[in-house]
Amino acid sequence: AQDKLTILGSVPNLGFPFFVHMLNEIKAEAAAQGVNLTESDGQNSATKQTADIEAALVQKVNAIVISPLDVNALAPAIEEAVKAGVPVVTIDRRVDGVEGILAHVGADNVKGGEAEANAMVAAFPNGAKIFHLQGQPGAGPAIDRNKGVHNVLDPLKDKYQIVFEQTANFARAEALSVTEAGLAANGKPDAIVCANDDMALGAMEACAARNFTDVKIYGFDALPEALVAVRDGKLAGTVEQFPGEQSRTAVRIAVAFAKDKTEPKEKLVLLTPIVIGKDNLDKAERIGETK
Amino acid sequence: MPAEAASPKPVLLAVEGITKHFSGVTALSDVSLDIRPGEILGLLGENGAGKSTLLKILSGVMPPSSGHIIFDGADYQPSSPQDAKRLGIVTIYQELSLIPTLTVAENIFIGRAPVGPLGLVSWRRMEAASRDIIARVGLSIDPMTPVSALSVAEQQLVEIARALSLKSRLIIMDEPTSALTETEVQRLLSIMDRLRKDKVAIMFVTHRLEEASAICDRMTVLRDGRLAGHLNREGGPIALPRIIEKMVGRAASELYARPAQRAVAGDVVLSVRGLRTVRDPEAPHAIVLDGVDIDLKAGEILGVAGLVGSGRTELARAIFGADRIAAGTITLDGKPIAPASPADAIALGIGLVPEDRKHQAIFAALGILPNFSVASLGSFSNGFGFMAERRERDALAGFRKMLSIRMASAEQAIEGLSGGNQQKVILARWLARDPKVLIVDEPTRGVDVGAKTEVHQILVQLAARGIAVMMISSELPEVLAVSDRIVTMRRGRITGQMPGVEANEERLMELMALDRKETP
Amino acid sequence: MSVAEDQRGGINFARLLMSFGPLLFLVALIVVFTVLKPSFMDPINLFNITRQISITGLIALGMTFVILTAGIDLSVGSLLAFCGMVAAVVAKGGTANTLSLSTSGTQGYGWFAALLAAVVVGAAAGGVQGLVITRLKVPPFVVTLGGLTVFRGLTLTISNGGPISGFDASMRWFGTGLIGPVPVPALIFAAAAILCHIVLRYTRYGRAVYAVGGNAEAARLSGLRVDRILVSVYVIVGFFAGLAAFVLSARLNSSEAVAGIGYELTVISAVVIGGTSLFGGIGSVGGTVVGAALIGVLQNGLQFNNVSSYTQSIVIGLILILAVAFDRWLKSRVRR
Amino acid sequence: MSVAEDQRGGINFARLLMSFGPLLFLVALIVVFTVLKPSFMDPINLFNITRQISITGLIALGMTFVILTAGIDLSVGSLLAFCGMVAAVVAKGGTANTLSLSTSGTQGYGWFAALLAAVVVGAAAGGVQGLVITRLKVPPFVVTLGGLTVFRGLTLTISNGGPISGFDASMRWFGTGLIGPVPVPALIFAAAAILCHIVLRYTRYGRAVYAVGGNAEAARLSGLRVDRILVSVYVIVGFFAGLAAFVLSARLNSSEAVAGIGYELTVISAVVIGGTSLFGGIGSVGGTVVGAALIGVLQNGLQFNNVSSYTQSIVIGLILILAVAFDRWLKSRVRR
Ligand SMILES: Nc1ncnc2c1ncn2[C@@H]1O[C@H](COP(=O)(O)OP(=O)(O)OP(=O)(O)O)[C@@H](O)[C@H]1O
Ligand SMILES: Nc1ncnc2c1ncn2[C@@H]1O[C@H](COP(=O)(O)OP(=O)(O)OP(=O)(O)O)[C@@H](O)[C@H]1O
Ligand SMILES: [Mg+2]
Ligand SMILES: [Mg+2]
């Protein structure tokens, strides 16, 4: 223990507030544990995130805490780390098919999508007319959340009709114009299910412009801004996956192992995603930031 | 069919009833001609008569609308320049067709670079071979120079050299001499003579009728896209008045009549002393001015003669603020000036018609109106910066009449005009500013006889209005015809000066070619 | 100027339609979409479209100036995000309190200061890029590609990745308000388009822009201050990026660090589809407006018909190519 | 050709260094990063960098041909994803069983068929775009922008949005293998670069590419088949997109529908930073390699020094501009 330990904290894309929060939490926990942190932003590119891991391995980091951009494409790089004897803890998304990962801390996006759809179903026991705004085509979370939503709604097709289903690329401005088109084409829906909060907030603006204030809009990620909207009754709910807690747990596990080979109690820590509504706002991880 | 069917030599190429329409314009209408091996056929006509169009059809650039061509006894319908090349038809185009970014050597060997055993290009052989080829036309530049660094004249020579190096049965030359001075022209004419002896047929377009008369065996004259007639060399060269009469359709007036020496009484307007330029890294081949002294008086036309590369253009550009000056003074109306940009020079009352019309003067895609007014936007707009279009149009209409510019409308894109008319629009651009000093660099390059005399008259009129005109020209007859005073340049220096009336070609040539002669 | 414009300043509609392919194509698209779903012609939807195209449309107006000089600006998307963030900081009076969506009275410096900040910062950023292009002789593509990354980085730094949300009603009006039935952003766009048309078509400055793009060397030898004009067009496109940023923030009630990603391509498409040549000297504001409308109608119409997003991509790509091919074909036939 | 290259075919190293700004700049960057952190020079890191630049580098080689003809190809990122997906389908023998990461013996048609499929599809897609450009006279910018959306849509349609993962060890070797200490992708890139250099510099075809870019009309008048040459360069860039796709899939053991987003700008940057003119006729493969290396070293070096991601963006943007500005400045001083 001559030098401080160094760990790599890597997130897929710092352009999105969700991951900014994740990295901030990693940073905070690393500081609390007294280790150095090397930051990495995948910039939405599997090759960039791979390159960052490779650079970290050259620098002989003591552990890696990573939220992989893609469950498959990051596998080779993580495998390389494991081979090099560096402990790896994955957050949020699990890497497929790599043996020897120290631990995974996550909340399943498919489960989150299911939770979101279930919350909507609970709000409309008699069925509903639904718009569904999907994330960036091809992106991992978009695929998983979409799958979750359909897992719930497809068997209930008769009562819950998705009349309008479009991608808005996780972006607020696109969600706004897509929702406008949807409203013009299909009239007012009962609910709008969105694959992230940004899109939910965009859809919210589109509805507000048409004075459709009673459309129930669901987001995903429980960003502070969305929590505020939930509090104000403008959004019906948003899915909380506890990214902060995931991150802190992951860092603790990684540092403990790097320090003295302490094996984690559980190799798989799964946090169950919940839907935050007006009544359980206090459960939201970032509710403190909305003051 | 033309009358010479009885001639012993077989016809190499016969054009029969060619017509060409461009949407709306008929450029050629029922034109027929023929040419035999070992013959030089002059193709003459005013600007816009259809010469280049005919040549482009022959070289496969564009198809005719109707009519047909027989080459070597067989029907000939080229669909691309390559087809023509394959049959041994080689063309020197009017608009230079070199690749500016490539070296001289590569341009000469374009598409046929010498290759080694592996099929790889041998740069060494290419360089050596092109050195020989350009030497034939009297060029001594490094073949590895990029073409963009050459002057227009040098580019023209490279293009000629390239054509000569191809195995050819018919060489088509569209105004190859327009950028050349006398020496190079003579060299080209003797090369053409040699080719004639080798049974190569040559089709030759020029606006310099003396040349045509000196070298051509026969001439075909076009007028407004129609055949105006054929002329044969009978005993001696074809006389100029015969050609001009066929070209313009009326009897020729005296060409190049020296204007009666006008009383030039003006004061010195522009005075240049000890002007030097430095080597510009962006234009490493440019001639460096080496202490030029020159005076320009109000109301006179100062002719500047010199060989290619003597620095005339550099002098013009330096005065105009287009190139940086290293040393020396310029005074305008007795006040020292230091134009740092053309805009400064223009504001001071200096104008320049540059030598390279296509690259330095015209805005090809824009209409005639914006081309005309671009240098006078200030005077054609109101205080709020809005164009006063009526005033602008009226001004253009005035110049259109004054310079007899042939154009359809002010909106027509300038690239649709013939070269001579483009040149007149550029002249109008500067006349609209009413400059104190107007420098014209090769003002009649590519301009037909009729228009050329018009341009000369315009220059004389300008001078008569008190404008100081400096005219750079590579055509000595032109310099002699209009200049009140003539200076000669060589290697960036002034080598001589004399009143126009005392000058003749021999004296000028001597001064232009002579090294180191002190300014009188 | 486009071939279609009557050069005397007026517009000859028959010829316009006959020779201006993109407009014909636009009309055809609208007809097709209306047949597919008549409610496409519902005024609400049409106004939606005008509002949607107004953001990229505003930037495309500025881009028209740039492309007319044979330049290009790839930084507009990032600059939009940057100006939007600046506007938000000014509107909220700082980076604290970035999340309240409600409009809590007078918190910052008001919409006017925000607008001013956005356009001034945009114009200044454009000006700096223009100076680098003209003084250091770095090609516009490289400078603005650098700008694309730099401005994005600056935006993320200011906002620390997150959005800044919740503006005054007075500011939001610029994004969501209506004058009569017409959305304010659409009016802003229309006014800006008319202004740009007048500037390019009827002023001395506009003439100079065309001249510089047509032949920079000839322009210099004709006494135009080529470098100044080049800098000015980047100032103009920066100004419009700032204006668009303000309108977008007002519309979304939020400025996001990830705003405008990929806008450069949409904007340049609008300009190019409208007939402006990437090699400079040829083009018109009218063309750009039609180009922007074509893209907007296409996207909206496909969404309106709930076409799957995968198919949308394919169809949009093919139709853009087709629209330009059709224009070329028409021009080659109708010319003169 | 770059000014640095001795026009006689050989390369004069002293002059190369003196006059070729990007290379000097690259060397300077490497020195700076090594001083900051000596382990930067660790061979493993250097090999990492070569592997990292090999994907965009391969495409940049093809892009050099395109830009030399004054064209542009914006579709390369999407085409990469498309070819990668095609390779994956062939390698796995269908779209079923897309997720097994384990290398379960012989499942599909093997790496060779996958490679062949990727490059053939890439070349064919490029060829189609080339034909649209030359036959329908649509500008390359528009055609390949259309291609950008179309190929992405096709990729998503094939894969239904998800990735296809898990290839044979024999295929993965092309992405992860080593020959001696050298990564296979780096070797592929190096071989391709040498080949391209020879083709452009020492074959008639290569010289024709320069001629067409220098002045297409003059090239046509000189008897070159301009249209064929134009089509061929899009075939070449498509081929390299396919090859890069194969290597990328092999490296990631997965073909993703979202692969290659934004690559067009990185690739074009590499080419332009390397001194190739967007107006055609001027440039070299050596320059492109240096350009790609400069970007790769910059990213790796900043990451190595734990510079924050936002600051990285800013620094990268500024340095790219600086590198080109420096090159221009050197050229204006040193020329002959
Ligand atoms: N591509 C074209 N499109 C439309 N009109 C054209 C085109 N090319 C030539 N013309 C027209 O055809 C006519 C003949 O032009 P051409 O270039 O053959 O004349 P020329 O005899 O070579 O003249 P010059 O002596 O000026 O070179 C002119 O009226 C010209 O405007
Ligand atoms: N812009 C330029 N870039 C590079 N070289 C140039 C440039 N302009 C002129 N030159 C070179 O300068 C030399 C002489 O040019 P200049 O044009 O001054 O001579 P001139 O007396 O006007 O002759 P010319 O009859 O050719 O116009 C030529 O050899 C040419 O190579
Ligand atoms: Mg001609
Ligand atoms: Mg000259």
Side-chain angles (χ1 to χ4, degrees):
Chain A
Q2 57 277 64
D3 280 326
K4 260 171 126 183
L5 295 177
T6 300
I7 65 170
L8 172 75
S10 179
V11 295
N13 187 0
L14 281 187
F16 284 103
F18 180 81
F19 296 117
V20 174
H21 172 62
M22 191 178 261
L23 188 61
N24 285 341
E25 295 288 316
I26 292 174
K27 240 189 265 184
E29 187 63 31
Q33 300 276 336
V35 297
N36 288 326
L37 179 75
T38 299
E39 298 170 26
S40 147
D41 171 10
Q43 291 174 353
N44 208 20
S45 150
T47 40
K48 166 72 166 70
Q49 211 175 12
T50 298
D52 287 355
I53 295 174
E54 288 172 349
L57 292 179
V58 173
Q59 293 183 298
K60 309 226 179 330
V61 293
N62 303 92
I64 294 176
V65 171
I66 181 172
S67 171
L69 173 70
D70 187 282
V71 294
N72 302 302
L74 265 298
I78 289 178
E79 200 162 18
E80 211 179 302
V82 171
K83 268 193 212 142
V86 178
V88 177
V89 180
T90 49
I91 316 176
D92 192 35
R93 301 176 204 175
R94 195 176 354 182
V95 176
D96 272 5
V98 181
E99 301 290 317
I101 287 185
L102 180 63
H104 172 72
V105 187
D108 194 330
N109 272 311
V110 178
K111 292 233 169 64
E114 289 170 355
E116 188 182 14
N118 280 325
M120 190 275 299
V121 168
F124 295 96
N126 301 320
K129 173 176 164 188
I130 301 157
F131 285 7
H132 182 200
L133 297 191
Q134 301 160 306
Q136 187 198 7
I143 296 170
D144 291 347
R145 292 173 186 184
N146 182 53
K147 198 193 250 169
V149 169
H150 280 273
N151 281 349
V152 173
L153 294 184
D154 286 354
L156 308 173
K157 258 201 184 94
D158 300 336
K159 280 167 73 183
Y160 299 92
Q161 279 179 328
I162 301 180
V163 294
F164 182 74
E165 183 167 53
Q166 288 284 316
T167 177
N169 284 312
F170 286 139
R172 197 178 300 195
E174 265 183 76
L176 173 49
S177 43
V178 168
T179 308
E180 281 174 348
L183 293 176
N186 303 290
K188 194 179 88 169
D190 299 309
I192 304 181
V193 176
C194 306
N196 78 347
D197 281 341
D198 261 323
M199 294 195 294
L201 292 164
M204 184 184 91
E205 292 295 332
C207 290
R210 297 283 302 270
N211 276 324
F212 295 159
T213 46
D214 56 342
V215 178
K216 287 204 184 304
I217 303 172
Y218 294 87
F220 204 117
D221 289 344
L223 298 182
E225 198 180 354
L227 296 175
V228 171
V230 170
R231 186 187 63 205
D232 298 349
K234 293 177 171 170
L235 289 186
T238 176
V239 178
E240 172 66 276
Q241 306 210 77
F242 307 105
E245 194 181 335
Q246 291 179 40
S247 309
R248 287 175 179 273
T249 312
V251 172
R252 279 196 291 268
I253 293 173
V255 171
F257 186 85
K259 272 196 180 136
D260 40 26
K261 299 265 180 276
T262 314
E263 286 285 340
K265 278 188 235 104
E266 299 164 80
K267 289 241 162 214
L268 190 57
V269 184
L270 282 186
L271 305 166
T272 316
I274 60 168
V275 177
I276 303 288
K278 217 169 177 168
D279 45 353
N280 62 347
L281 268 169
D282 54 318
K283 297 256 172 59
E285 195 174 271
R286 304 178 71 180
I287 191 67
E289 292 176 45
T290 63
K291 292 293 146 33
Chain B
M1 283 289 284
E4 274 96 350
S7 161
K9 279 183 280 183
V11 170
L12 176 66
L13 175 126
V15 169
E16 293 170 1
I18 290 279
T19 296
K20 176 73 187 177
H21 306 289
F22 293 107
S23 41
V25 185
T26 301
L28 289 173
S29 157
D30 194 23
V31 171
S32 302
L33 57 79
D34 60 16
I35 185 168
R36 286 147 223 279
E39 187 175 57
I40 297 180
L41 174 72
L43 186 60
L44 300 171
E46 293 179 86
N47 289 127
K51 306 178 294 293
S52 299
T53 305
L54 179 59
L55 300 189
K56 283 183 191 159
I57 290 170
L58 295 183
S59 50
V61 176
M62 49 173 75
S65 304
S66 64
H68 46 108
I69 312 169
I70 313 281
F71 184 77
D72 211 7
D75 202 33
Y76 167 62
Q77 291 179 321
S79 64
S80 74
Q82 222 185 21
D83 293 349
K85 220 170 161 182
R86 211 177 294 125
L87 290 173
I89 301 178
V90 171
T91 307
I92 298 170
Y93 296 95
Q94 180 175 8
E95 294 301 344
L96 296 172
S97 60
L98 299 176
I99 316 282
T101 49
L102 295 184
T103 60
V104 169
E106 282 202 83
N107 269 286
I108 289 174
F109 284 102
I110 187 166
R112 55 181 183 123
V115 290
L118 288 171
L120 298 184
V121 172
S122 165
W123 287 79
R124 216 167 295 279
R125 275 170 53 201
M126 188 154 77
E127 181 185 356
S130 34
R131 199 178 291 283
D132 296 344
I133 290 169
I134 56 175
R136 284 180 65 190
V137 294
L139 261 184
S140 58
I141 46 175
D142 179 359
M144 288 304 173
T145 321
V147 161
S148 58
L150 303 185
S151 71
V152 176
E154 289 168 325
Q155 292 185 28
Q156 184 74 69
L157 290 172
V158 170
E159 191 140 349
I160 292 169
R162 169 171 73 180
L164 298 181
S165 73
L166 291 165
K167 262 205 109 42
S168 50
R169 302 177 65 193
L170 170 63
I171 301 181
I172 294 172
M173 300 182 174
D174 198 351
E175 302 198 31
T177 57
S178 67
L180 303 186
T181 52
E182 201 54 29
T183 331
E184 292 96 18
V185 172
Q186 287 311 325
R187 196 188 318 254
L188 176 63
L189 295 186
S190 67
I191 294 173
M192 287 167 70
D193 199 37
R194 220 177 313 134
L195 287 168
R196 167 158 57 191
K197 296 204 174 85
D198 293 341
K199 295 279 171 276
V200 175
I202 297 175
M203 228 183 253
F204 182 56
V205 173
T206 181
H207 288 295
R208 302 191 189 175
L209 302 185
E210 298 88 344
E211 275 165 31
S213 161
I215 192 84
C216 294
D217 300 305
R218 291 192 300 132
M219 293 184 190
T220 295
V221 181
L222 297 180
R223 193 192 312 147
D224 291 334
R226 294 173 185 282
L227 203 59
H230 301 283
L231 296 166
N232 284 321
R233 192 179 185 117
E234 287 147 357
I238 304 166
L240 297 198
R242 284 180 65 200
I243 309 175
I244 294 168
E245 188 180 341
K246 273 266 183 304
M247 276 174 68
V248 299
R250 56 191 139 81
S253 53
E254 268 280 297
L255 274 176
Y256 290 147
R258 179 191 298 286
Q261 180 73 4
R262 297 183 307 275
V264 178
D267 302 329
V268 171
V269 181
L270 183 84
S271 169
V272 171
R273 287 291 172 271
L275 192 64
R276 285 169 201 282
T277 54
V278 279
R279 203 159 290 280
D280 176 359
E282 298 286 330
H285 296 270
I287 286 292
V288 174
L289 295 181
D290 186 14
V292 172
D293 299 338
I294 209 167
D295 284 322
L296 196 52
K297 298 189 191 111
E300 78 166 345
I301 298 178
L302 175 69
V304 182
L307 296 180
V308 167
S310 56
R312 298 164 298 170
T313 297
E314 268 60 28
L315 175 61
R317 289 174 60 90
I319 295 172
F320 192 58
D323 289 338
R324 212 169 317 147
I325 292 172
T329 55
I330 305 174
T331 45
L332 186 70
D333 287 336
K335 284 188 271 318
I337 58 168
S341 69
D344 291 347
I346 291 168
L348 290 163
I350 305 174
L352 170 70
V353 175
E355 63 177 338
D356 187 345
R357 188 164 58 226
K358 186 169 158 198
H359 295 110
Q360 300 177 332
I362 67 166
F363 302 91
L366 299 189
I368 293 171
L369 192 66
N371 263 288
F372 157 68
S373 57
V374 63
S376 334
L377 293 178
S379 52
F380 289 131
S381 57
N382 65 21
F384 302 105
F386 282 88
M387 293 303 294
E389 254 193 51
R390 174 160 305 246
R391 205 156 11 109
E392 194 187 1
R393 279 170 195 282
D394 289 348
L396 176 61
F399 285 112
R400 179 181 182 174
K401 197 178 271 166
M402 169 180 163
L403 308 180
S404 47
I405 303 174
R406 271 197 250 170
M407 57 191 230
S409 76
E411 282 66 44
Q412 187 186 0
I414 195 168
E415 60 186 343
L417 293 188
S418 75
N421 284 306
Q422 289 179 7
Q423 190 70 13
K424 289 182 191 172
V425 174
I426 304 304
L427 275 170
R429 173 191 294 173
W430 291 106
L431 298 189
R433 281 202 67 91
D434 202 10
K436 283 186 208 140
V437 174
L438 181 63
I439 307 173
V440 292
D441 196 353
E442 309 287 3
T444 62
R445 191 179 149 219
V447 169
D448 70 40
V449 259
K452 198 179 259 180
T453 14
E454 286 175 27
V455 169
H456 294 161
Q457 278 162 10
I458 294 162
L459 294 178
V460 170
Q461 283 167 21
L462 291 180
R465 274 166 46 194
I467 296 174
V469 178
M470 178 168 141
M471 183 189 76
I472 298 168
S473 171
S474 295
E475 269 184 79
L476 287 184
E478 175 170 274
V479 174
L480 290 167
V482 295
S483 306
D484 299 307
R485 199 155 53 88
I486 300 173
V487 296
T488 54
M489 286 187 74
R490 174 163 177 80
R491 300 204 174 161
R493 293 168 159 266
I494 302 288
T495 55
Q497 170 173 176
M498 69 195 71
V501 280
E502 291 171 20
N504 57 45
E505 294 206 17
E506 291 67 34
R507 272 193 73 182
L508 291 180
M509 279 306 289
E510 196 180 313
L511 290 166
M512 284 156 57
L514 214 72
D515 254 326
R516 283 262 157 183
K517 172 133 185 192
E518 282 314 305
T519 335
Chain C
M1 281 136 287
S2 89
V3 182
E5 256 177 70
D6 184 315
Q7 306 275 5
R8 266 153 214 98
I11 289 179
N12 173 334
F13 279 100
R15 241 184 74 190
L16 191 74
L17 267 185
M18 267 308 289
S19 67
F20 195 49
L23 190 56
L24 257 186
F25 212 90
L26 175 62
V27 171
L29 263 186
I30 292 176
V31 169
V32 169
F33 283 131
T34 310
V35 169
L36 284 176
K37 214 165 193 176
S39 60
F40 179 81
M41 275 306 236
D42 188 328
I44 295 185
N45 194 48
L46 296 184
F47 284 128
N48 276 346
I49 297 178
T50 59
R51 189 162 43 202
Q52 284 158 20
I53 63 173
S54 60
I55 307 293
T56 45
L58 279 172
I59 308 178
L61 294 177
M63 191 68 87
T64 307
F65 285 79
V66 171
I67 295 184
L68 276 175
T69 67
I72 197 150
D73 190 343
L74 300 174
S75 73
V76 288
S78 299
L79 191 51
L80 173 103
F82 184 57
C83 295
M85 211 47 88
V86 169
V89 170
V90 172
K92 307 273 291 189
T95 49
N97 184 27
T98 55
L99 294 174
S100 68
L101 279 174
S102 50
T103 56
S104 46
T106 50
Q107 34 178 2
Y109 301 98
W111 69 265
F112 185 73
L115 170 60
L116 204 68
V119 298
V120 166
V121 166
V128 170
Q129 294 192 98
L131 284 173
V132 174
I133 290 166
T134 52
R135 292 291 160 85
L136 306 187
K137 310 252 179 276
V138 182
F141 191 94
V142 176
V143 174
T144 59
L145 184 68
L148 180 152
T149 13
V150 170
F151 297 134
R152 185 67 63 189
L154 288 175
T155 312
L156 289 162
T157 307
I158 295 183
S159 73
N160 195 24
I164 301 183
S165 306
F167 305 120
D168 292 352
S170 59
M171 172 156 164
R172 300 196 53 197
W173 180 81
F174 288 93
T176 57
L178 298 174
I179 293 183
V182 190
V184 174
L187 284 174
I188 295 177
F189 175 49
I194 291 170
L195 186 74
C196 287
H197 176 74
I198 290 174
V199 167
L200 277 179
R201 185 82 190 75
Y202 297 106
T203 71
R204 177 181 173 178
Y205 172 75
R207 286 288 181 87
V209 169
Y210 279 97
V212 168
N215 184 341
E217 178 61 10
R220 191 174 82 95
L221 291 177
S222 303
L224 297 180
R225 306 266 182 199
V226 174
D227 280 2
R228 280 192 211 165
I229 291 162
L230 287 178
V231 172
S232 75
V233 297
Y234 292 92
V235 170
I236 290 174
V237 73
F239 170 89
F240 277 113
L243 181 57
F246 176 78
V247 175
L248 181 65
S249 297
R251 186 161 181 240
L252 292 177
N253 195 19
S254 170
S255 293
E256 298 178 288
V258 288
I261 289 178
Y263 274 25
E264 60 280 359
L265 291 184
T266 313
V267 165
I268 297 170
S269 310
V271 176
V272 173
I273 289 169
T276 299
S277 159
L278 285 167
F279 293 94
I282 300 172
S284 69
V285 170
T288 297
V289 171
V290 172
L294 209 150
I295 297 175
V297 164
L298 198 52
Q299 282 181 340
N300 176 285
L302 292 172
Q303 285 165 5
F304 209 78
N305 286 284
N306 205 14
V307 174
S308 100
S309 70
Y310 305 164
T311 316
Q312 267 186 43
S313 295
I314 301 174
V315 174
I316 290 180
L318 291 178
I319 291 203
L320 292 190
I321 296 173
L322 262 184
V324 176
F326 176 68
D327 182 40
R328 296 296 138 128
W329 177 79
L330 260 189
K331 276 195 182 133
S332 75
R333 307 220 56 190
V334 174
R335 202 164 240 171
R336 244 144 279 216
Chain D
M1 283 135 291
S2 89
V3 182
E5 257 177 67
D6 186 315
Q7 306 274 8
R8 269 150 208 99
I11 290 179
N12 173 334
F13 279 100
R15 243 186 69 191
L16 190 75
L17 265 184
M18 268 307 289
S19 66
F20 194 51
L23 189 57
L24 257 186
F25 211 89
L26 175 61
V27 171
L29 263 186
I30 292 176
V31 169
V32 169
F33 284 132
T34 311
V35 170
L36 284 176
K37 217 157 197 180
S39 62
F40 178 82
M41 274 307 233
D42 187 330
I44 297 182
N45 194 46
L46 297 183
F47 284 128
N48 279 345
I49 297 177
T50 59
R51 185 163 46 199
Q52 284 154 21
I53 64 174
S54 59
I55 307 293
T56 45
L58 278 172
I59 308 178
L61 294 177
M63 190 69 86
T64 307
F65 285 78
V66 171
I67 295 184
L68 277 174
T69 66
I72 198 150
D73 190 343
L74 300 174
S75 72
V76 288
S78 299
L79 191 51
L80 173 102
F82 183 57
C83 295
M85 211 49 87
V86 169
V89 170
V90 172
K92 308 272 290 189
T95 49
N97 183 29
T98 54
L99 291 174
S100 71
L101 275 176
S102 51
T103 57
S104 47
T106 51
Q107 35 177 2
Y109 301 98
W111 68 265
F112 185 72
L115 170 60
L116 204 69
V119 299
V120 167
V121 167
V128 170
Q129 294 191 99
L131 284 174
V132 174
I133 290 166
T134 51
R135 292 291 160 83
L136 306 187
K137 311 256 178 274
V138 183
F141 191 94
V142 176
V143 174
T144 60
L145 184 68
L148 182 152
T149 16
V150 171
F151 296 133
R152 185 68 62 189
L154 288 175
T155 312
L156 289 162
T157 307
I158 294 184
S159 73
N160 197 21
I164 300 184
S165 307
F167 305 120
D168 291 352
S170 58
M171 173 156 163
R172 299 194 53 195
W173 179 80
F174 288 93
T176 57
L178 299 173
I179 293 184
V182 191
V184 174
L187 284 174
I188 295 177
F189 175 48
I194 292 170
L195 186 74
C196 288
H197 175 75
I198 291 174
V199 167
L200 277 179
R201 189 93 187 87
Y202 294 106
T203 68
R204 285 184 180 170
Y205 169 75
R207 302 324 294 171
V209 169
Y210 280 92
V212 168
N215 182 343
E217 181 57 16
R220 192 172 82 91
L221 294 180
S222 309
L224 297 181
R225 302 261 183 212
V226 174
D227 279 3
R228 280 194 208 165
I229 291 165
L230 286 178
V231 172
S232 76
V233 297
Y234 292 92
V235 170
I236 290 175
V237 74
F239 170 90
F240 277 113
L243 181 57
F246 176 78
V247 175
L248 181 64
S249 297
R251 180 157 183 240
L252 297 178
N253 195 20
S254 170
S255 293
E256 301 172 280
V258 286
I261 289 179
Y263 273 26
E264 60 281 359
L265 291 184
T266 313
V267 165
I268 297 170
S269 310
V271 176
V272 174
I273 290 169
T276 299
S277 159
L278 285 167
F279 292 94
I282 300 172
S284 68
V285 169
T288 298
V289 172
V290 171
L294 209 151
I295 297 175
V297 163
L298 199 51
Q299 283 183 339
N300 176 284
L302 291 173
Q303 185 61 39
F304 219 74
N305 285 283
N306 201 14
V307 175
S308 98
S309 164
Y310 303 160
T311 315
Q312 271 187 38
S313 295
I314 300 174
V315 173
I316 290 180
L318 291 178
I319 292 203
L320 292 191
I321 295 173
L322 261 184
V324 177
F326 176 69
D327 182 39
R328 298 296 138 127
W329 178 80
L330 260 188
K331 276 193 183 134
S332 76
R333 308 223 52 189
V334 173
R335 208 169 237 172
R336 239 142 277 215

